[in-house]
Amino acid sequence: MSADPLARLADVIESRKPANGGDPDASYVARLLHKGPDAFLKKIGEEATEVVMAAKDADHGGDRAKIVGEVADLWFHCMIALAHYGLKPADVVAELQRREGLSGLEEKALRKVREREGKGE
């Protein structure tokens, strides 16, 4: 068993895929995956909005711990999307590592150059 909690969660999500025997009647993950991308992408949008609302509330004296809970919900639903597309949290970590040491402004400029050259990411 992995020591990495994201990798462990990714394994659970993978096991809940309907193609791997996950039952949409017994598993929330299987239900979302069974419904298809529209279902889990809608949840990602909802959870992202809830992160923003929790952060705005925290700016006005609200509970900062709520941000953590909402980000956890967002990450969870993003992990369902990753699994659907055959990706793992390690792929995201590798991309973050690739960007390490590169300023955000430089990284954004490089993306624009790649897009103009037709080499998108």
Side-chain angles (χ1 to χ4, degrees):
M1 179 173 273
S2 173
D4 177 359
L6 291 177
R8 286 194 312 271
L9 179 55
D11 289 344
V12 170
I13 290 169
E14 188 68 29
S15 75
R16 304 279 167 82
K17 285 182 172 181
N20 294 335
D23 179 2
D25 292 328
S27 165
Y28 175 73
V29 171
R31 185 176 313 138
L32 280 178
L33 289 169
H34 177 74
K35 288 180 178 181
D38 284 349
F40 58 78
L41 295 175
K42 179 180 178 186
K43 286 300 297 179
I44 289 171
E46 291 171 3
E47 298 301 343
T49 299
E50 290 174 12
V51 169
V52 171
M53 291 174 12
K56 290 184 90 43
D57 287 348
D59 280 340
H60 296 85
D63 183 5
R64 294 183 338 165
K66 188 169 182 185
I67 299 169
V68 173
E70 296 301 347
V71 169
D73 292 345
L74 176 60
W75 286 13
F76 174 76
H77 289 89
C78 287
M79 289 179 65
I80 292 171
L82 288 172
H84 174 79
Y85 295 108
L87 299 165
K88 300 269 185 194
D91 297 311
V92 176
V93 170
E95 176 60 13
L96 291 171
Q97 289 172 327
R98 183 191 69 77
R99 296 179 185 185
E100 191 174 0
L102 184 63
S103 89
L105 296 175
E106 289 174 307
E107 198 277 330
K108 187 174 182 177
L110 284 172
R111 271 191 279 148
K112 286 183 179 183
V113 168
R114 286 187 190 125
E115 287 170 11
R116 276 196 307 267
E117 294 174 351
K119 296 180 181 175
E121 290 189 64

